[in-house]
Amino acid sequence: MKTEIAAPRTHLYEQVAEEVAQLIGQRILRAGDRVPSVRKLMAQKGVSRSTALQAFQLLEGRGLVEARPQSGYYVKPQREHLLPEPEHSHEPDTYDQIELEGTAAKVAEVIVSFRHHPEYAPFGVATPSPQILPNRALNRVLAATARQAGDAGNNYDFPPGHVELRRQIALRAPDAGYQLAMDEIVTTFGCMESLNLALRATCHPGDCVAIESPTYYGLLQALESLGLSAIEIPTHPQNGVDLLALEATLAKRKVAACLFATSYNNPLGSCMPEENRRALVQDILAPRGIPLIEDEIYADLYHGLARPKSCRAFDTEGLVLVCSSFSKCLAPGYRVGWIVPGRFGQRVQLLKFMNTLATATHPQAAIADFMKSGAFDHHMRSLRKRMREQVARVSEAVAEYFPAGTRVTRPAGGFVLWLELPGNANALRLHQRALAEGISIAPGPIFSAGQRYQNFIRLSCGYPWTTRLEHAMMTLGRLAQA
Ligand SMILES: Cc1ncc(COP(=O)(O)O)c(C=O)c1O
């Protein structure tokens, strides 16, 4: 006798989920895209709210979408688009003290080559696109604050700097895990001035500074201009500085300060776990009296639910100097930043005074007002979401167009990706060939004092995705094959 096997019955919610899954499979919906809302799905498919919700739960369970609080469901990067990550930056025992002579000029040569070509497909410079910054709103605030201030606005705002701006910065410090008084903050001309002041307050010419490897090229320029040398500490793409390697270095060499971007290092996007931050500050640096200059410029651009704590949250000795600015999130051209210099407060204020006398008054006032009105926090919420989506898009294009064997980071914040190209790829040559095709990238060697990372590149994801960028990624992938 023949047994009848009944075809498994599919529920309505499974059918709805399948239709959405097909859109993802056909790449009509792509990583980072918002999936139609529950309400839209109800109207589109003529289903009840609970069916639409069950469909989303099923898609979530299958790893196709993820829920984001108060925002809806988004397509997750698919496994086949998750390339392996680059490994540890270099062997712990290969580091040496590196004199930086000539580094600044080499870096400038590379950066200037695309800075002056705004028409290039912009994967080179790590700035947010002007399209995703609230420029018009901020400029209106600038005009209004300048009008209100009258003649008083055209005066020096001597260190420590604009009172309301410092109040607004202090108000947000608990997000980073610590309390701050206004007079513990000095405003500056961007994070670069903060870092320079921090280095000058803690080091003397000829001293050696421990840095991450790879690290932001501007830091290498700052070290060279101050006559400092560097020791590159191996840095992990997820966890940041290798603390064992750091301890081994400190046992052998005299280090005047450490300069780390603990929350989303540029270019790695690494984020030091909280326990490592505690150990770094309390177990490694405090007993040796070594200051930590913490570059926090990307810390507010987290992709998850909360901002990582600053190392300052674990500091009881005043040895952590926090440096940051509004350049990556609001207004690079306003040139407004700040430093929280810990026990080096007086020295930093004096250096600031000697260096630039005062920070420009109007940009500080405008940003302070923008923050006070609530517009800044609102903007940050949407900027974080955008950056996360843009990073997902570029990662996906790397998986699609770059040669087999390419590795790419999976940053949990910020908006840059660090790629390791297979074989004996030459990043500087790729950079030249990309420029000839109207595409800018940042070649790996400029992120190292020791000229490491010959086969690495950094891609900035600061611009909204367009077909032009997709074509540029296709071209880059083809050039990287060669
Ligand atoms: C890690 C890091 N620190 C500092 C800076 C410089 O910041 P600012 O423009 O505020 O001087 C940058 C800019 O790219 C950066 O990536």
Side-chain angles (χ1 to χ4, degrees):
M1 201 172 72
K2 226 164 110 193
T3 319
E4 285 286 322
I5 301 177
R9 209 169 76 80
T10 45
H11 295 282
L12 189 53
Y13 74 88
E14 291 172 319
Q15 287 169 26
V16 173
E18 187 49 38
E19 284 169 33
V20 177
Q22 277 175 17
L23 293 178
I24 297 171
Q26 292 158 1
R27 306 195 59 249
I28 294 167
L29 282 175
R30 306 169 85 175
D33 278 348
R34 189 160 188 253
V35 180
S37 64
V38 171
R39 193 171 303 167
K40 194 147 182 209
L41 216 58
M42 286 164 64
Q44 254 180 12
K45 314 278 179 201
V47 296
S48 67
R49 186 177 165 74
S50 73
T51 302
L53 278 171
Q54 274 180 305
F56 277 126
Q57 279 160 8
L58 184 62
L59 289 164
E60 202 176 8
R62 285 171 60 186
L64 291 174
V65 301
E66 62 187 348
R68 293 187 192 154
Q70 286 153 20
S71 182
Y73 285 90
Y74 288 79
V75 179
K76 273 177 82 170
Q78 302 307 294
R79 235 195 304 281
E80 65 268 27
H81 294 131
L82 286 179
L83 297 183
E85 288 202 283
E87 284 170 1
H88 224 256
S89 53
H90 58 89
E91 288 308 311
D93 54 352
T94 60
Y95 42 82
D96 275 320
Q97 188 163 339
I98 304 167
E99 303 298 330
L100 286 145
E101 217 182 313
T103 309
K106 271 188 224 128
V107 168
E109 199 183 300
V110 170
I111 299 306
V112 167
S113 63
F114 52 76
R115 271 262 155 93
H116 296 312
H117 294 278
E119 74 279 11
Y120 281 162
F123 298 114
V125 187
T127 44
S129 153
Q131 294 162 358
I132 59 174
L133 295 178
N135 288 340
R136 284 176 56 190
L138 186 59
N139 289 345
R140 270 200 305 274
V141 176
L142 178 70
T145 47
R147 246 191 335 269
Q148 280 156 20
D151 292 342
N154 193 9
N155 225 332
Y156 288 125
D157 201 342
F158 288 116
H162 197 273
V163 174
E164 183 56 28
L165 181 62
R166 287 186 289 118
R167 195 171 80 84
Q168 291 300 325
I169 293 168
L171 276 173
R172 287 161 181 78
D175 293 343
Y178 60 97
Q179 298 285 334
L180 199 54
M182 281 165 57
D183 57 11
E184 292 179 272
I185 303 167
V186 180
T187 64
T188 59
F189 280 105
C191 192
M192 223 46 244
E193 191 188 21
S194 309
L195 293 164
N196 271 284
L197 293 171
L199 286 167
R200 287 173 67 193
T202 54
C203 305
H204 295 102
D207 280 351
C208 183
V209 177
I211 57 171
E212 291 155 318
S213 178
T215 198
Y216 167 53
Y217 50 77
L219 304 182
L220 303 177
Q221 292 182 307
L223 293 179
E224 181 175 340
S225 76
L226 296 174
L228 300 167
S229 59
I231 289 188
E232 299 191 317
I233 309 296
T235 304
H236 189 274
Q238 285 292 334
N239 298 334
V241 171
D242 179 333
L243 295 186
L244 288 177
L246 176 66
E247 278 192 291
T249 306
L250 298 181
K252 278 192 255 161
R253 301 202 179 260
K254 190 165 166 7
V255 164
C258 294
L259 200 180
F260 301 150
T262 49
S263 300
Y264 320 125
N265 152 298
N266 169 10
L268 282 176
S270 53
C271 185
M272 189 179 277
E274 209 170 296
E275 175 47 29
N276 287 25
R277 291 175 193 253
R278 194 210 55 73
L280 170 67
V281 174
Q282 295 178 358
D283 301 344
I284 301 178
L285 299 182
R288 297 171 171 89
I290 300 176
L292 168 65
I293 302 169
E294 191 181 24
D295 183 341
E296 285 242 276
I297 194 166
Y298 287 99
D300 284 308
L301 289 171
Y302 48 90
H303 297 175
L305 294 179
R307 184 198 193 287
K309 276 188 183 165
S310 159
C311 285
R312 156 91 194 205
F314 303 97
D315 180 25
T316 52
E317 308 296 319
L319 277 171
V320 176
L321 300 89
V322 177
C323 299
S324 194
S325 79
F326 296 96
S327 302
K328 302 294 170 188
C329 61
L330 183 65
Y334 276 46
R335 307 304 302 133
V336 177
W338 69 95
I339 176 168
V340 180
R343 68 159 79 152
F344 303 91
Q346 275 190 354
R347 175 103 186 111
V348 163
Q349 278 202 47
L350 181 62
L351 285 166
K352 165 68 192 171
F353 188 73
M354 293 193 294
N355 204 34
T356 47
L357 212 57
T359 304
T361 309
H362 290 313
Q364 291 187 82
I367 292 181
D369 243 47
F370 197 72
M371 294 173 97
K372 197 173 163 189
S373 72
F376 176 71
D377 296 323
H378 178 75
H379 156 70
M380 286 305 290
R381 280 192 289 277
S382 77
L383 185 69
R384 281 181 206 116
K385 190 161 125 315
R386 265 191 174 276
M387 289 308 192
R388 189 174 54 203
E389 287 164 15
Q390 287 168 198
V391 167
R393 255 304 151 74
V394 180
S395 312
E396 208 189 43
V398 171
E400 184 153 356
Y401 301 122
F402 275 63
T406 301
R407 289 170 173 264
V408 62
T409 45
R410 291 176 208 155
F415 54 93
V416 297
L417 289 172
W418 180 241
L419 273 66
E420 182 177 3
L421 303 174
N424 49 7
N426 182 320
L428 286 166
R429 206 170 56 223
L430 178 61
H431 157 67
Q432 289 302 336
R433 296 181 65 207
L435 282 186
E437 301 266 359
I439 304 165
S440 71
I441 59 170
I446 64 172
F447 295 90
S448 158
Q451 303 289 306
R452 296 183 160 93
Y453 311 115
Q454 298 290 332
N455 61 327
F456 285 75
I457 59 171
R458 185 196 70 183
L459 296 180
S460 167
C461 315
Y463 280 64
W465 193 247
T466 56
T467 27
R468 177 171 164 255
L469 292 197
E470 174 119 32
H471 284 135
M473 285 298 287
M474 235 184 267
T475 307
L476 259 184
R478 178 172 50 75
L479 296 177
Q481 307 267 4

